[in-house]
Amino acid sequence: MTRPQPLPTLLGALVLLAGIVAFVRSSPPPLAPPPQVPLVAAPASPFEATLVGVTATGEVRETVSLQSYPEPGAQLAATLRALRAWLRDEGGWPEALGAPRVFLPVPTHAVLDFPLSAPPDLSAEAEAQLIASLRRTAARQGVREVTLLVNGRAPATFLGHVALADALELPPDGVQRGE
């Protein structure tokens, strides 16, 4: 049997070791970072809104400057949030009734979905005044028809006193949402 020659074996081992060291020490080419896409909201644009509060003695109007985004219904949603703040200060909007989500099936028809956390302590007259305030404020934004929902449903009465339409009829072209 022949013995392996030490020099060629040593050289082979050194070449193999150099290859392993070169492989381990080498780094793969750096990956390009993923493209950065900034998430920038469309700029808000100011607009003037007229809030209409209906009381037992008549109608009270207040003009406010608000910020809104261009989504359908966003301007009406901002207006109704301002109406809620104004009427809550005056005692005409119950604490348990949140600001509505606004849907616009067509520009002249708004569906307002109010979150209600508990039955409000509100008289029938105050409830009728609140509904009139909502409808008249929406009318100032060009909305001719308003459908009221409570917690996503069309109830028989709005907050326990004033009867609402029996069925919710939406246009066939779908609902556009704005908040």
Side-chain angles (χ1 to χ4, degrees):
M1 224 173 173
T2 47
R3 287 175 68 190
Q5 296 294 328
L7 187 59
T9 305
L10 182 62
L11 286 176
L14 286 174
V15 169
L16 183 60
L17 182 62
I20 291 172
V21 168
F23 178 75
V24 169
R25 294 190 78 192
S26 69
S27 60
L31 295 175
Q36 296 291 324
V37 179
L39 298 177
V40 178
S45 56
F47 70 98
E48 295 290 316
T50 301
L51 310 178
V52 181
V54 177
T55 65
T57 59
E59 189 176 279
V60 179
R61 293 182 185 187
E62 168 112 3
T63 301
V64 295
S65 180
L66 301 171
Q67 296 289 318
S68 177
Y69 291 90
E71 292 88 21
Q75 186 167 313
L76 180 59
T79 302
L80 294 176
R81 284 190 301 271
L83 178 68
R84 178 179 186 250
W86 184 46
L87 292 180
R88 279 179 62 190
D89 290 344
E90 302 297 320
W93 193 296
E95 287 290 324
L97 185 66
R101 292 182 0 174
V102 176
F103 301 88
L104 288 177
V106 293
T108 59
H109 179 195
V111 177
L112 309 179
D113 184 11
F114 292 87
L116 182 63
S117 59
D121 183 25
L122 201 63
S123 69
E125 180 181 3
E127 184 177 329
Q129 291 168 355
L130 176 58
I131 291 171
S133 297
L134 290 166
R135 292 183 190 280
R136 290 182 187 172
T137 299
R140 300 290 294 182
Q141 296 287 323
V143 175
R144 292 191 306 253
E145 186 178 351
V146 175
T147 301
L148 303 175
L149 303 178
V150 177
N151 294 330
R153 298 176 187 226
T157 63
F158 181 49
L159 298 175
H161 302 291
V162 179
L164 299 175
D166 290 331
L168 173 64
E169 297 179 24
L170 294 176
D173 61 346
V175 174
Q176 297 179 10
R177 179 178 173 218
E179 290 190 28

